[in-house]
Amino acid sequence: DGHMLPRRARLWLCPLRDTRLWEERVGFWTNVHGLDMSCLQPIAAAELCAQPRIEEVAAEDMAGTHACIADFDLGSMRLDEARRISSRFECTSHVRSPILGFVSYFDVEIAPGAWLSTSPEQELTHWQQVSFLWDSPLQIGQGDVLRGSVDIRQQEENKRCLDVLLACRHYGADGESSTIAKSGSCRNRSYKLDTIT
């Protein structure tokens, strides 16, 4: 009987607030050498969130609790379990800030109790994180809750690509659906993630 290494793998989601990125790519257009070009902001926002971003995320941009969306026992799981992941999640904000979307990362258990994590809050590894951004920020308060679901499917035509559907609703700290942004308190978005890049 052999050993599976790593023996366990988990996939995580956490709210993301990268206000520097938003200002550099979208806010920039409000004043371009003294010219108001804010009419280009919707185009810049659409381009920014068109695809998931595979990049290093700063620890200070993690804006809430982390939600485990998959937990695999690699020694006993079936291959088809990895081809589709569906999960509900809940994250509580620890900041008052505009949220741009979610960041995802993984960790693996190499040996009992010995974990390798790709979280932005851990030591940097070879692997980066994946950011799923919206085309407009969602203003949340400290203690507010984001409840949602994520569905990840392997594409039939390209096995190295994933289709990701991410949906969430914003609730105030009192548990009521948020009135901060009545028309924008819910976010639903589909993404195509190419794992080759």
Side-chain angles (χ1 to χ4, degrees):
D1 220 7
H3 294 281
M4 174 66 80
L5 296 175
R7 39 188 279 151
R8 191 168 155 208
R10 298 181 300 194
L11 188 59
W12 299 85
L13 274 181
C14 182
L16 174 67
R17 62 160 183 175
D18 190 342
T19 52
R20 290 177 311 278
L21 175 66
W22 187 262
E23 282 306 310
E24 287 171 10
R25 299 285 299 274
V26 180
F28 163 81
W29 294 101
T30 57
N31 182 355
V32 181
H33 304 291
L35 298 174
D36 179 3
M37 299 181 73
S38 56
C39 62
L40 296 175
Q41 284 183 311
I43 296 168
E47 182 182 313
L48 181 63
C49 70
Q51 295 182 34
R53 299 173 58 86
I54 300 173
E55 62 190 353
E56 183 181 333
V57 172
E60 61 267 18
D61 290 330
M62 307 293 274
T65 57
H66 306 233
C68 183
I69 59 169
D71 189 343
F72 297 119
D73 178 339
L74 299 177
S76 65
M77 70 178 287
R78 298 181 323 273
L79 183 57
D80 64 307
E81 292 179 81
R83 291 189 174 125
R84 179 165 183 200
I85 300 168
S86 291
S87 180
R88 300 197 66 72
F89 65 87
E90 179 173 308
C91 300
T92 302
S93 171
H94 57 251
V95 296
R96 180 183 177 104
S97 174
I99 298 298
L100 297 186
F102 287 91
V103 62
S104 182
Y105 65 92
F106 69 90
D107 57 19
V108 290
E109 187 179 29
I110 305 297
W115 289 88
L116 169 69
S117 176
T118 63
S119 168
E121 297 173 331
Q122 300 297 319
E123 187 177 331
L124 186 64
T125 69
H126 161 79
W127 297 279
Q128 296 177 314
Q129 297 81 37
V130 179
S131 299
F132 299 95
L133 305 180
W134 302 315
D135 58 2
S136 64
L138 175 64
Q139 182 65 45
I140 63 171
Q142 188 170 2
D144 286 3
V145 174
L146 295 170
R147 289 189 188 112
S149 62
V150 61
D151 188 60
I152 304 169
R153 295 179 192 211
Q154 183 182 44
Q155 290 182 0
E156 286 297 320
E157 62 280 1
N158 185 348
K159 303 291 186 200
R160 295 205 51 158
C161 290
L162 305 172
D163 291 324
V164 180
L165 176 60
L166 187 55
C168 79
R169 181 172 290 278
H170 175 210
Y171 294 87
D174 59 4
E176 296 297 316
S177 188
S178 174
T179 57
I180 292 176
K182 287 183 181 176
S183 64
S185 64
C186 192
R187 296 286 193 273
N188 297 293
R189 185 151 176 94
S190 296
Y191 304 88
K192 296 218 179 281
L193 177 59
D194 185 345
T195 60
I196 296 172
T197 57

